[in-house]
Amino acid sequence: MKRLIFFALILCLALTACQSSNPEPALTKVTLNLTYIPNVQFAPFYVAIENGIFTKYGLDVSLAYGNEADLVTLVGSDHQQFMIASGEQVLLSRAQGLPVVSVREWYKDYPVGIASLKTSQISQPADLRGKVIGLPGLYGANYIGFEALAAHAGLTDADYELRSIGFTQVEALVTNQVDAVVVYLANEPVQLRARGYEINLLRVADYLSLVGNCLVTNEKSLSERSDLVQRMVSAMQEALETAAADPDMAYEVSRKYVENLAADDPIQKQILLESIRLWQLESDPSEVEVKRWENMQTILLDLGLMANQIDVREAFSDVFTK
């Protein structure tokens, strides 16, 4: 009996030694840069952390927030590897020599629109003639989206007044400081309607196909860390699908990351639902992506924000979504 116990102890020690010599592979530490501030619209990334999706793909992801132009410099110079960036920022950065590349589009539709009170009778882009338009500033997706829509309607800078109002679109509109405001489709329109205002909404995507926000990396990561990029893209895909399938869960998870997000805030819950409707849950054919990027480059060239054309096919990669 003693001999059996002795051999059992030896076997146990041997198994323990085998387990300790084959530890779980270490997770790859990654910083994912998000523009803006913590917000329910970033729910998929909160879900990916809390539901173990990043861990499933061998990733230990930290979220960071900041100015898009600053963050794209970090990623383009390979000081960091991933961020969410708008399509125009990718093209502008590449035109300036920063080798950033989109590896997955987040939005299927360009998420910008023009909101106005119904009493203003702005029901089509041509109705913007002679109007004062409020927007955060002459930069970013809001500015690009408005200018694209105005150009599509044959309007020039002389036909309207743009007024920088920061992120005060709702108050500026309802207090009649401006005639219309440039908004994110999933945000300010929800707030306006919740406050009882009847609005008209011109969606840029109804008139033009442009690139919205994307998961962005750099060329060095594509060539030297393709496995890492694939894992990040796959994790994002699963996170989007998981959050879209259970918005209530995604909202509750977001409360851990978004300060003062109430347990039952109908406006914020609706913002999440509107965001989900914009997400690209399935891959688009390459020719569709190319067209969106070409359209975006045309707008940037027309605005004088880019001096020369670049090869838009180098601005994105669809290898990781096939």
Side-chain angles (χ1 to χ4, degrees):
M1 185 67 172
K2 290 181 178 178
R3 182 174 294 179
L4 287 174
I5 293 173
F6 173 77
F7 281 118
L9 287 172
I10 293 296
L11 179 60
C12 182
L13 290 171
L15 288 172
T16 302
C18 288
Q19 290 174 351
S20 62
S21 63
N22 294 285
E24 289 293 320
L27 300 177
T28 305
K29 290 186 177 295
V30 172
T31 297
L32 175 59
N33 294 291
L34 306 175
T35 53
Y36 198 46
I37 58 176
N39 188 277
V40 71
Q41 295 172 73
F42 293 130
F45 307 110
Y46 306 145
V47 167
I49 293 174
E50 294 299 313
N51 288 25
I53 295 173
F54 282 138
T55 302
K56 172 183 174 180
Y57 291 95
L59 302 169
D60 178 6
V61 174
S62 298
L63 302 179
Y65 304 85
N67 178 272
E68 187 176 37
D70 295 335
L71 296 177
V72 79
T73 300
L74 285 175
V75 174
S77 61
D78 198 43
H79 285 82
Q80 292 180 2
Q81 282 72 55
F82 296 101
M83 72 176 293
I84 297 298
S86 53
E88 77 277 353
Q89 189 64 248
V90 173
L91 292 177
L92 291 171
S93 298
R94 289 193 66 85
Q96 295 167 7
L98 283 173
V100 290
V101 182
S102 166
V103 289
R104 193 198 189 283
E105 292 187 19
W106 182 7
Y107 292 148
K108 62 183 176 183
D109 293 327
Y110 200 66
V112 171
I114 318 298
S116 61
L117 299 179
K118 268 204 169 177
T119 53
S120 297
Q121 298 184 329
I122 300 173
S123 59
Q124 57 185 339
D127 295 334
L128 295 169
R129 189 183 304 274
K131 304 299 184 182
V132 178
I133 316 298
L135 75 174
L138 304 184
Y139 57 85
N142 283 284
Y143 173 58
I144 300 301
F146 173 80
E147 290 288 3
L149 190 61
H152 179 80
L155 302 177
T156 68
D157 292 349
D159 293 320
Y160 49 80
E161 177 189 339
L162 290 182
R163 185 173 297 175
S164 297
I165 58 172
F167 293 97
T168 64
Q169 292 102 315
V170 172
E171 291 304 320
L173 185 64
V174 302
T175 57
N176 297 311
Q177 297 176 45
V178 294
D179 299 306
V181 288
V182 188
V183 297
Y184 261 69
L185 298 176
N187 193 353
E188 290 86 3
V190 175
Q191 297 185 45
L192 286 162
R193 289 171 177 142
R195 291 171 61 168
Y197 292 99
E198 292 187 11
I199 64 171
N200 287 332
L201 184 62
L202 303 176
R203 291 164 36 99
V204 173
D206 289 339
Y207 300 88
L208 291 159
S209 181
L210 300 173
V211 183
N213 289 358
C214 319
L215 176 65
V216 173
T217 188
N218 54 60
E219 291 180 1
K220 185 173 182 180
S221 291
L222 293 183
S223 62
E224 298 181 9
R225 310 181 194 97
S226 60
D227 175 67
L228 174 61
V229 176
Q230 181 65 74
R231 286 186 282 143
M232 194 68 178
V233 171
S234 298
M236 181 173 174
Q237 177 69 34
E238 185 169 335
L240 288 169
E241 293 173 353
T242 302
D246 193 347
D248 289 337
M249 174 277 296
Y251 183 87
E252 187 60 29
V253 166
S254 298
R255 294 185 60 221
K256 181 175 178 179
Y257 294 84
V258 183
E259 188 176 0
N260 298 323
L261 184 61
D264 191 18
D265 185 330
I267 295 177
Q268 292 300 314
K269 285 189 172 183
Q270 188 61 36
I271 286 174
L272 176 58
L273 292 176
E274 293 296 328
S275 297
I276 291 171
R277 293 189 180 100
L278 293 171
W279 296 349
Q280 179 68 51
L281 298 176
E282 298 177 356
S283 297
D284 272 351
S286 294
E287 62 271 15
V288 175
E289 284 193 86
V290 171
K291 186 60 178 175
R292 278 199 285 256
W293 287 99
E294 288 176 342
N295 289 344
M296 180 62 79
Q297 176 166 249
T298 297
I299 296 298
L300 297 175
L301 289 167
D302 289 345
L303 289 173
L305 297 176
M306 287 178 61
N308 300 296
Q309 283 190 348
I310 63 173
D311 184 353
V312 297
R313 292 177 184 272
E314 295 180 353
F316 75 95
S317 172
D318 60 0
V319 171
F320 305 96
T321 55
K322 290 181 177 178

